[in-house]
Amino acid sequence: MMISRPASPRRRVPDMRLSTLRGMGETAIITGAAGGIGAAAARRLAAAGARCVLVDRDPGVSDMAAAIGGTALVGDLTDPELSERAVAEAGDGLRLLVLNAGTNCADKDPATLDLDRYRAVVGVNQHSVTYGLRAALPVLRRGGGGSIVVTASLAALHGVEQDPIYTMTKHAVIGLVRALSGPLSREGIRLSAVCPGLVDTPLTAGARDRFQAAGIPMLSADEVAAAIEETLRSGEPGTELVVHPGRPPVRYVQAPIP
């Protein structure tokens, strides 16, 4: 449900708009950056002057980094050490963090769930977000603040029966954003989420023809990346930005608990 109501008062956080940060030597970390949304976000941030550290298990992330003058780290984000390496590579200039890596799950019935696949999906979609925050927050605090956006999904806001495990992990991510955005905002760190509908990326490539045949519209990766960049720069702490094809992005506001 999307409803409108006045936003609750918040402590003012440092202005992190594009015009403020250009030329200040900021560094951004983007996970899941070999293609799709992560690559599109990296291109946008690099064009705005950020030094980018790109992280992905796909070795193609090295080509992406070379194309934008960034740095690539290839590895498995379910290992917390990779997030620590990314933060070390970013150094004290780290100001922007895009926790974008994600994957879906083929299993619909828990009774026949492949446990190795389950652990892998939860590791990428859920644990790697926590690992990224754990590694980055000390640097952002030392630097006086920063901005973090997690790529969630419409599946974070309602149940998607076609992929219940993916839905579970995205709900967990939104729960983390809701719980941490207030405390972090008081330290000058913005934490938000972008929740897109279907996006035309390598993750959905196998079903693209079916979506098109059914007349289901899809977002481009760059449309979602634009929403990520805008949220990084000027979004309110705790923003859950819903992105639908053909519509302006809109902030999702939870209904009050009865």
Side-chain angles (χ1 to χ4, degrees), residues 15-97:
D15 188 348
M16 298 282 291
R17 295 176 187 272
L18 284 165
S19 58
T20 309
L21 286 165
R22 281 190 180 123
M24 292 181 63
E26 65 173 353
T27 299
I29 294 174
I30 305 100
T31 67
I37 296 168
R43 284 190 290 268
R44 282 181 165 271
L45 294 175
R51 172 179 169 253
C52 293
V53 177
L54 311 187
V55 187
D56 205 295
R57 64 185 176 188
D58 182 346
V61 73
S62 298
D63 295 333
M64 185 64 225
I68 63 169
T71 302
L73 292 177
V74 180
D76 185 352
L77 282 161
T78 65
D79 182 350
E81 191 267 341
L82 182 57
S83 293
E84 293 166 6
R85 285 173 52 206
V87 169
E89 178 63 38
D92 290 338
L94 178 63
R95 294 294 178 270
L96 306 174
L97 178 61

Side-chain angles (χ1 to χ4, degrees), residues 172-188:
V173 164
I174 283 293
L176 189 65
V177 170
R178 290 172 179 174
L180 284 177
S181 59
L184 290 179
S185 73
R186 295 189 284 274
E187 300 181 70

Side-chain angles (χ1 to χ4, degrees), residues 99 101 123-134 150 173 176:
L99 297 170
V124 172
N125 293 357
Q126 183 174 328
H127 296 334
S128 74
V129 172
T130 304
Y131 299 154
L133 292 173
R134 180 177 182 269
V150 180
V173 164
L176 189 65

Side-chain angles (χ1 to χ4, degrees), residues 182-226:
L184 290 179
S185 73
R186 295 189 284 274
E187 300 181 70
I189 300 170
R190 287 205 302 269
L191 173 63
S192 301
V194 169
C195 304
L198 282 170
V199 188
D200 189 358
T201 69
L203 195 64
T204 58
R208 184 185 298 123
D209 291 345
R210 294 201 303 275
F211 293 143
Q212 290 177 345
I216 299 173
M218 301 181 75
L219 291 155
S220 71
D222 193 60
E223 287 176 296
V224 183

